[in-house]
Amino acid sequence: MTQIEASDYHSCALLGDGTIRCWGSGLQGRLGNGDDVQSTTPVAVSGIATATAIATHGPHTCARLSDGTVRCWGPGSMGQLGDGASTDAATPVTARDITDAVGVGVGFAHSCAIGGGGRIRCWGQGTAMQLGNGVPADSPVPVDVAGIAGAVAVGGGEWHTCALLTTGTVMCWGANNYGQLGDGTTTNAAIPVAVLGVAGATSLSVGHFDACVRLSDGTARCWGENLDYQLGDGTQADASTPISPKALTNVATIAAGYLHTCAVLGDAGGRCWGSNDQGEIGDGTYVLTPTPERVRNVGALRSISPWFNHTCGILVDGSAVCWGLDTSGELGDGQVKLTSSMPVPVTVNW
């Protein structure tokens, strides 16, 4: 397994052979296997055999294929699948005019791809200007983000989008009601604006109304909404410029979720903080967590992915675990239960 993504009542994994498996809620085609039936164990996404990356931060999912195309599935009423329609798709459809994608990112109801030269194109819901083309309107086909070049990563939240550039800086656009654009204001932006005070960023993750980066010195910075302590500084004050999660050093990866955030440290240990009413922190409790707390009863982690009310991770041996909400089978262990506040193994079904 090379990548895992927790999402909106479902989860997906990219395997080393280029195929994709998803599990959990099948509503509106979330699992990509041709129906809308829930599955408590992984099922194969139809017709994909050469995927190199997946992205899902909402009900829909997109995959970048080795030929540079992008295919998406699930809810499509906002045009977020990119095929020119505004309808759901229970099997993957091809995003129009994307032929040279090197990266892909997904927000709640919009999607983006990085193409040649690091330019970005986005599609789907755009009423909060999250498509970055200066127009507050949806688009069922890809449109160019204004003024972006040299992008190496892109990600979307509910109504905003951010990109990491080759310079180690970050630019964001869209809604800014919680300071999620990181430019020191709460003013919406129809085109990209620079995140203040970020230099030497090596990775980017965009949350619901927030975002985080890992810096080259192994520290992290986060900004945006903080009502559930998801920025990790021990307060509930929103931040319109980047701040540091407490006592978080030697960061290998960081991932922003819906109302919680997680990181893998250099010792392969997981840390999570923020909302925990469904056990999504993974520390055996259901207590709101203001600062990073160690994920318990799990082996060495290679990556971690929080979203909505659950979290998933890949261990260094390539196996997967998930924890948190499980009302739709999104933990993938073959059963439906209300929650699990400790990691459980995803049932191998490939």
Side-chain angles (χ1 to χ4, degrees):
M1 185 182 302
T2 62
Q3 186 183 352
I4 196 166
E5 294 288 326
S7 196
D8 184 54
Y9 298 105
H10 73 292
S11 310
C12 292
L14 170 63
L15 305 189
D17 62 0
T19 62
I20 300 169
R21 301 292 188 277
C22 296
W23 57 95
S25 172
L27 189 65
Q28 296 176 285
R30 281 169 167 80
L31 303 187
N33 66 333
D35 60 41
D36 60 359
V37 178
Q38 171 183 293
S39 178
T40 61
T41 57
V43 296
V45 174
S46 299
I48 290 187
T50 61
T52 62
I54 55 174
T56 176
H57 268 186
H60 78 292
T61 305
C62 292
R64 186 258 181 196
L65 305 189
S66 60
D67 63 0
T69 61
V70 171
R71 305 190 75 191
C72 303
W73 61 95
S77 62
M78 300 288 186
Q80 61 263 51
L81 306 186
D83 63 340
S86 294
T87 57
D88 302 344
T91 57
V93 296
T94 302
R96 285 191 187 179
D97 304 321
I98 301 293
T99 60
D100 62 349
V102 296
V104 63
V106 163
F108 183 77
H110 70 291
S111 311
C112 299
I114 302 172
R119 68 189 181 99
I120 298 176
R121 307 189 78 194
C122 296
W123 58 94
Q125 186 181 35
T127 49
M129 298 179 290
Q130 59 266 57
L131 302 187
N133 63 335
V135 180
D138 300 346
S139 177
V141 295
V143 296
D144 292 325
V145 174
I148 289 283
V152 294
V154 64
E158 178 83 11
W159 297 317
H160 76 296
T161 311
C162 295
L164 171 64
L165 308 185
T166 54
T167 56
T169 58
V170 177
M171 300 191 77
C172 298
W173 56 95
N176 198 25
N177 48 320
Y178 296 101
Q180 60 262 48
L181 302 190
D183 67 340
T185 78
T186 54
T187 303
N188 297 345
I191 58 176
V193 296
V195 175
L196 297 180
V198 168
T202 62
S203 67
L204 164 74
S205 180
V206 181
H208 185 51
F209 290 126
D210 62 320
C212 295
V213 291
R214 177 203 182 266
L215 303 185
S216 57
D217 64 0
T219 61
R221 301 290 187 275
C222 299
W223 61 93
E225 186 189 28
N226 200 24
L227 180 63
D228 286 84
Y229 299 103
Q230 57 264 52
L231 302 188
D233 67 332
T235 78
Q236 292 176 289
D238 299 339
S240 62
T241 57
I243 60 176
S244 301
K246 280 192 173 181
L248 198 68
T249 59
N250 197 23
V251 175
T253 65
I254 189 166
Y258 190 79
L259 294 173
H260 71 295
T261 308
C262 295
V264 176
L265 305 189
D267 63 0
R271 301 288 191 278
C272 293
W273 57 95
S275 175
N276 193 30
D277 56 349
Q278 305 297 328
E280 56 264 48
I281 298 302
D283 66 345
T285 77
Y286 295 88
V287 179
L288 198 65
T289 307
T291 56
E293 178 70 28
R294 189 177 186 91
V295 179
R296 299 182 184 177
N297 285 12
V298 67
L301 286 163
R302 192 171 72 209
S303 68
I304 199 165
S305 175
W307 199 254
F308 199 45
N309 292 123
H310 76 291
T311 308
C312 293
I314 300 177
L315 304 184
V316 293
D317 65 3
S319 61
V321 291
C322 296
W323 58 93
L325 187 71
D326 194 36
T327 54
S328 298
E330 53 264 61
L331 301 190
D333 66 341
Q335 55 184 305
V336 173
K337 47 192 173 296
L338 289 178
T339 65
S340 175
S341 62
M342 302 281 253
V344 297
V346 176
T347 299
V348 175
N349 194 19
W350 47 75

